[in-house]
């Protein structure tokens, strides 16, 4: 197990692949940990340095009291990459992970040479929606949100599989403080203007059945960055890397080739 001690926070991360390879970094969504990428990592070509991590309040990373800000989540990520001496990575961020990706590229372009904005947006939902979600967790616990969340995360056929239970358990076992802390960070984020200023190779990925960040919302965000590409994965909800891993990995590999990372 790898823990990066960043001073005021300790973050759990994992490295696979070639330690001297071209770096690719994965950032997870709300209510998930780094196992989100378990089906993608083995499908990636050899010769990459593959890094994934648990953001604060999730997985095996520290869970300080919330609320968190997006600036803090971006700073955590920046410091983790500095700690690991990563530069010029392809950064793949899903949902809140994609918000972190945008913030990181705006702040530290030396760390990021290309972006994959998966199932994410410059702004997700309205602040009141996030406040309501925080109140619901405070009152009834995270379990009370789980069924509705699975409907946003997965298309119907996947929701009928036994595997879905594992992802549901992953969500309900995240620390409530960390989950609420990240809800607050999303509530306070509108990257529309800063993301419009980004100039780097960008791929958007959306799921046809995504109930959290629908395809049009993802497309609207990646369209802010000139020259960006967009790929829609059918029969997939909010986390297509789990539901359609083959297509997700193929799409990612195609992009890595295009930007000369493999
Ligand atoms: O998944 C995220 O990181 C935030 C977007 C969201 O609403 C997730 C969910 O559907 O619970």
């Amino acid at each position: 197990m790898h823990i990066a001690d960043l001073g005021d926070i300790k973050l759990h991360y994992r490295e696979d692949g070639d330690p001297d390879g071209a770096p690719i970094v994965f950032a997870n969504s709300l209510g998930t940990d780094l196992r989100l990428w378990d089906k993608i990592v083995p499908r990636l070509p050899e010769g990459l340095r593959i890094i994934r991590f648990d953001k604060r309040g999730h997985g095996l990373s520290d869970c300080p009291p919330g609320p968190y800000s997006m600036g803090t989540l971006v700073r955590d990520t920046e410091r983790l990459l500095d700690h690991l001496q990563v530069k010029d990575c392809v950064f793949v961020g899903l949902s809140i992970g994609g918000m972190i990706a945008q913030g990181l590229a705006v702040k530290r372009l030396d760390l990021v040479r290309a972006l994959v904005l998966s199932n994410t947006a410059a702004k997700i939902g309205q602040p009141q929606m996030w406040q309501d979600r925080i109140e619901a967790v405070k009152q009834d616990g995270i379990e009370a949100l789980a069924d509705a969340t699975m409907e946003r995360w997965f298309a119907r056929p996947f929701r009928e599989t036994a595997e879905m239970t594992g992802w549901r358990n992953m969500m309900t076992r995240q620390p409530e403080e960390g989950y609420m802390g990240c809800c607050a960070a999303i509530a306070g984020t509108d990257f529309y203007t800063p993301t419009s200023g980004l100039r780097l190779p960008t791929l958007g990925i959306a799921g046809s059945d995504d109930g959290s960040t629908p395809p049009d919302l993802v497309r609207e965000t990646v369209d802010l960055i000139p020259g960006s590409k967009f790929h829609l994965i059918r029969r997939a909800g909010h986390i297509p890397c789990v539901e359609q891993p083959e297509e997700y990995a193929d799409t990612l590999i195609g992009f890595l080739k295009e930007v000369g990372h493999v």
Side-chain angles (χ1 to χ4, degrees):
M1 176 184 312
H2 297 290
I3 300 287
D5 185 348
L6 304 177
D8 59 343
I9 184 107
K10 294 188 183 69
L11 293 185
H12 173 231
Y13 68 97
R14 179 172 169 164
E15 287 211 37
D16 293 279
D18 179 352
D20 298 318
I24 180 166
V25 180
F26 290 90
N28 323 322
S29 56
L30 180 68
T32 66
D33 62 39
L34 54 69
R35 289 172 291 181
L36 186 68
W37 307 103
D38 275 358
K39 295 184 189 181
I40 302 302
V41 169
R43 289 179 158 90
L44 294 177
E46 281 178 13
L48 287 168
R49 180 182 179 197
I50 305 164
I51 297 162
R52 36 193 175 140
F53 66 99
D54 293 331
K55 63 189 160 297
R56 65 170 60 206
H58 283 68
L60 302 183
S61 289
D62 279 351
C63 181
Y68 310 148
S69 72
M70 188 55 63
T72 299
L73 297 178
V74 169
R75 186 165 173 270
D76 288 349
T77 310
E78 174 189 7
R79 288 185 299 158
L80 176 67
L81 298 193
D82 282 340
H83 176 84
L84 298 175
Q85 297 183 312
V86 169
K87 282 217 181 290
D88 293 325
C89 72
V90 171
F91 197 99
V92 184
L94 197 147
S95 204
I96 189 176
M99 290 182 135
I100 293 170
Q102 293 167 67
L104 188 68
V106 167
K107 190 174 180 194
R108 291 285 307 274
L109 202 51
D110 60 312
L111 300 180
V112 186
R113 62 175 298 232
L115 280 179
V116 179
L117 300 181
S118 177
N119 306 80
T120 190
K123 174 175 166 64
I124 302 178
Q126 296 301 325
Q128 189 57 51
M129 178 197 111
W130 292 106
Q131 200 47 50
D132 292 346
R133 212 188 276 195
I134 291 168
E135 291 308 323
V137 175
K138 275 189 192 154
Q139 264 188 22
D140 303 316
I142 199 168
E143 171 67 38
L145 300 181
D147 289 340
T149 301
M150 293 306 109
E151 294 192 7
R152 296 190 296 271
W153 281 13
F154 301 116
R156 184 181 294 279
F158 191 90
R159 292 204 302 272
E160 284 158 9
T161 64
E163 184 188 336
M164 194 273 286
T165 307
W167 297 100
R168 190 183 189 283
N169 288 342
M170 181 185 283
M171 182 214 163
T172 57
R173 290 174 193 174
Q174 298 304 317
E176 290 182 348
E177 186 71 23
Y179 184 92
M180 290 189 290
C182 286
C183 286
I186 299 172
T189 302
D190 182 350
F191 276 145
Y192 195 91
T193 302
T195 295
S196 303
L198 284 173
R199 297 291 177 268
L200 77 170
T202 300
L203 167 69
I205 299 179
S208 59
D209 296 42
D210 185 343
S212 308
T213 49
D216 282 354
L217 185 67
V218 181
R219 193 192 286 269
E220 191 189 323
T221 292
V222 296
D223 274 357
L224 297 173
I225 306 171
S228 61
K229 302 259 161 63
F230 176 80
H231 182 86
L232 177 68
I233 300 185
R234 298 194 186 279
R235 295 176 301 282
H238 188 51
I239 47 179
C241 52
V242 164
E243 218 169 347
Q244 302 294 347
E246 196 105 2
E247 185 172 342
Y248 196 97
D250 286 350
T251 306
L252 197 50
I253 293 165
F255 182 66
L256 292 174
K257 284 183 181 155
E258 247 177 70
V259 300
H261 214 60
V262 290

